[in-house]
Amino acid sequence: MSDMYGGSLAGASILVIDDEPGMRNFLTKILETRCKRVAQAASPAEATAQLDQAHFDLIILDNIMPGKTGLDWVTEQRRLGLFADTILITAYADLETAITALRAGVSDFVLKPFRANQILNAVSRTLDRKNLRRDNRLLRHELSADGTRGTLLGASPALAEVRAMLHKLAPLPTPVLFTGATGTGKEIAARTLHQLSDRAEKPFVAVNCAAIAPERIAQELFGLVEDSEQRNAGLFLLAEGGTLFLDEVAQMPEALQVALLRVLEDQRIRPVGGERDIPLNIRICFATNDDLSKAVEEGRFRADLYHRINVMNITMPLLQDRSEDIVELAAHFTTHFSQVLGMPALSLDDETLLKLRRYDWPGNVRELRNLIERSVILGEFPEEFQGSGATTGVQAIESLDLVMQRHILHVLDQCDGNRAEAARRLGVSRKTVDRKCAAWGE
């Protein structure tokens, strides 16, 4: 449910800690219709047990409780490895309390007595700040990792098989291993799987295991707890509710392989320096261009981890095995780089397209993409791909539409006009086929 307090509440899980049943019930009542999940705890000890069972985005707690103050409990939990934001309910906000709260990482105060809109405003502000911090860090991570974005383009049978498997696996929590040569689009396929799933609104976090120094990779993934004031949530926690994509898994250090096996089995992580296992709700996807079975034989990769991640394996096809997709890919990349770079569109005449299709593409889609980016910058294709230049970039896109039209209509003929069956064979939705046919007057 989304209202004036912002959509960030809708996906939030919140823990309410207060020894007074009336206050717990009041807070739960005003939050549960707006949030994904609200849990209660009547004491710090009960709250600790709740943290061992589930992940929470936000904790609302009273400061004065029997046995231990809310601030003492937060300070203690930070040392153990608590990363959730906190809102403190208190009747006394003196300077000493404020300093202690700041050191404990309390996000906001709500003074007693308060009204429903005051607590809702505090929750909304805190979650908005939390999401902004997460998004900023994810953006910095993607920029530093040069993450791949895009969609799976092409209507070849090989790619249709991949799409069908992605649709089948999308609603399941099962780990997926993407294999195939460099440049075949393993990360794009993983992003497509994420977008098809019910996790699409949550983060997709891509990590190249070979690009992080072995001595740093554990804290980058699992997070770091140095003391109650110094905490750094790792990439596992940033991906909470979404998908974590681990590329180049064959390059993982041995110690990380052991830790990852525990994560897969228990769905929990322990930050470096922390003393508590944190429950997770994420899907983990893996990718490699290495032969993992051979890596196991050579002792470079743990056999138990290999069998755990190899439940479902999607092998991305080589570009030379889906050469019919090159026309669509080439037109897409030409238009994309022309717009992004502000350069004139390249000629994609029939002769050029034929030469592109006849080339073997050892670097697969990535090589095609790089070739076209370089060609757009230089204003021409390399000599071995040049054609007569009779068509312009715009005409090439029209030519692509004609190629697509002929192909879709040919498949429809094979299916005796059954659009649902044609869509299945093409690896696209029925709506796409209907839309194309309407545009062509069919």
Side-chain angles (χ1 to χ4, degrees):
M1 178 177 177
S2 178
D3 56 22
M4 63 179 290
Y5 296 102
S8 57
L9 275 72
S13 56
I14 299 177
L15 175 62
V16 174
I17 311 170
D18 199 305
D19 60 309
E20 297 180 14
M23 181 59 73
R24 291 199 308 274
N25 292 334
F26 169 69
L27 292 170
T28 300
K29 183 178 179 180
I30 63 176
L31 289 168
E32 63 184 357
T33 58
R34 295 176 168 88
C35 301
K36 180 179 179 181
R37 180 167 60 97
V38 180
Q40 296 185 13
S43 67
E46 190 178 327
T48 301
Q50 291 263 21
L51 290 180
D52 290 335
Q53 298 302 316
H55 170 85
F56 294 95
D57 301 299
L58 177 65
I59 295 172
I60 303 173
L61 75 161
D62 190 21
N63 191 32
I64 306 302
M65 289 184 285
K68 186 177 294 182
T69 69
L71 281 177
D72 287 342
W73 180 81
V74 171
T75 302
E76 173 188 280
Q77 295 304 312
R78 293 296 189 205
R79 293 193 189 101
L80 296 176
L82 174 68
F83 291 90
D85 282 35
T86 53
I87 294 175
L88 189 71
I89 299 173
T90 180
Y92 309 99
D94 55 25
L95 181 59
E96 182 179 351
T97 301
I99 293 173
T100 305
L102 184 63
R103 288 175 175 169
V106 170
S107 304
D108 207 344
F109 285 96
V110 176
L111 296 177
K112 292 180 178 179
F114 57 84
R115 296 185 298 274
N117 67 312
Q118 291 176 284
I119 195 72
L120 287 171
N121 282 328
V123 169
S124 180
R125 283 195 308 268
T126 301
L127 290 173
D128 284 344
R129 287 196 298 263
K130 175 186 178 71
N131 291 339
L132 182 60
R133 290 195 307 270
R134 181 200 66 192
D135 293 345
N136 284 342
R137 185 169 173 200
L138 288 174
L139 178 59
R140 290 196 301 271
H141 171 73
E142 287 221 359
L143 290 174
S144 64
D146 190 25
T148 301
R149 288 184 175 273
T151 55
L152 288 175
L153 297 176
S156 61
L159 204 61
E161 288 184 17
V162 171
R163 282 201 187 93
M165 184 58 71
L166 293 176
H167 279 276
K168 188 172 185 178
L169 294 175
L172 307 176
T174 310
V176 179
L177 174 63
F178 293 89
T179 56
T182 298
T184 49
K186 296 184 287 293
E187 182 177 335
I188 291 177
R191 286 183 183 273
T192 302
L193 177 66
H194 173 74
Q195 290 300 321
L196 291 170
S197 75
D198 58 3
R199 300 176 182 271
E201 298 302 317
K202 295 294 185 177
F204 177 94
V205 181
V207 183
N208 187 334
C209 298
I212 305 175
E215 64 272 13
R216 288 185 52 246
I217 193 168
Q219 69 183 57
E220 285 288 322
L221 288 175
F222 298 108
L224 175 66
V225 178
E226 294 182 341
D227 55 47
S228 61
E229 298 180 45
Q230 299 295 321
R231 300 173 308 281
N232 180 26
L235 295 172
F236 271 103
L237 280 181
L238 288 182
E240 172 65 24
T243 302
L244 183 72
F245 174 71
L246 297 176
D247 198 2
E248 303 287 2
V249 289
Q251 307 302 316
M252 280 185 179
E254 170 73 16
L256 184 62
Q257 294 182 34
V258 175
L260 182 59
L261 184 62
R262 286 193 61 229
V263 172
L264 290 170
E265 291 175 346
D266 303 334
Q267 280 286 299
R268 293 170 176 268
I269 61 165
R270 176 168 293 190
V272 176
E275 299 178 33
R276 162 185 286 120
D277 289 340
I278 302 175
L280 288 175
N281 173 25
I282 64 172
R283 181 180 207 158
I284 308 179
C285 294
F286 308 87
T288 182
N289 56 17
D290 203 347
D291 184 342
L292 281 187
S293 60
K294 184 178 180 181
V296 170
E297 292 176 4
E298 296 173 350
R300 294 184 288 115
F301 200 81
R302 293 180 62 94
D304 48 4
L305 179 59
Y306 170 64
H307 293 303
R308 188 67 183 80
I309 71 176
N310 195 34
V311 178
M312 294 304 304
N313 185 340
I314 295 180
T315 301
M316 298 302 295
L318 299 172
L319 185 54
Q320 62 180 266
D321 294 335
R322 43 178 291 222
S323 61
E324 58 265 60
D325 294 335
I326 289 176
V327 174
E328 182 177 353
L329 288 165
H332 169 76
F333 290 141
T334 300
T335 303
H336 170 76
F337 286 117
S338 175
Q339 293 173 347
V340 169
L341 301 174
M343 307 288 286
L346 280 177
S347 171
L348 275 176
D349 55 72
D350 291 342
E351 187 177 348
T352 295
L353 290 173
L354 182 60
K355 290 179 176 178
L356 290 173
R357 288 193 60 171
R358 286 177 173 174
Y359 180 61
D360 287 341
W361 300 109
N364 296 290
V365 178
R366 184 177 298 157
E367 183 182 0
L368 174 63
R369 184 182 190 275
N370 292 344
L371 170 79
I372 292 182
E373 181 179 10
R374 184 167 59 251
S375 300
V376 168
I377 293 172
L378 296 176
E380 62 179 1
F381 280 101
E383 184 176 350
E384 60 269 28
F385 293 108
Q386 288 180 10
S388 63
T391 51
T392 66
V394 174
Q395 290 171 322
I397 298 172
E398 293 174 352
S399 175
L400 169 63
D401 281 340
L402 291 174
V403 172
M404 291 175 61
Q405 181 179 1
R406 285 195 298 270
H407 182 57
I408 291 175
L409 293 179
H410 174 66
V411 173
L412 275 169
D413 285 341
Q414 291 182 321
C415 300
D416 296 324
N418 187 325
R419 294 187 180 181
E421 175 61 18
R424 188 192 68 78
R425 294 189 187 184
L426 290 164
V428 299
S429 69
R430 166 67 185 269
K431 288 183 178 179
T432 298
V433 175
D434 288 341
R435 189 171 62 251
K436 292 292 185 184
C437 288
W440 300 327
E442 296 292 332

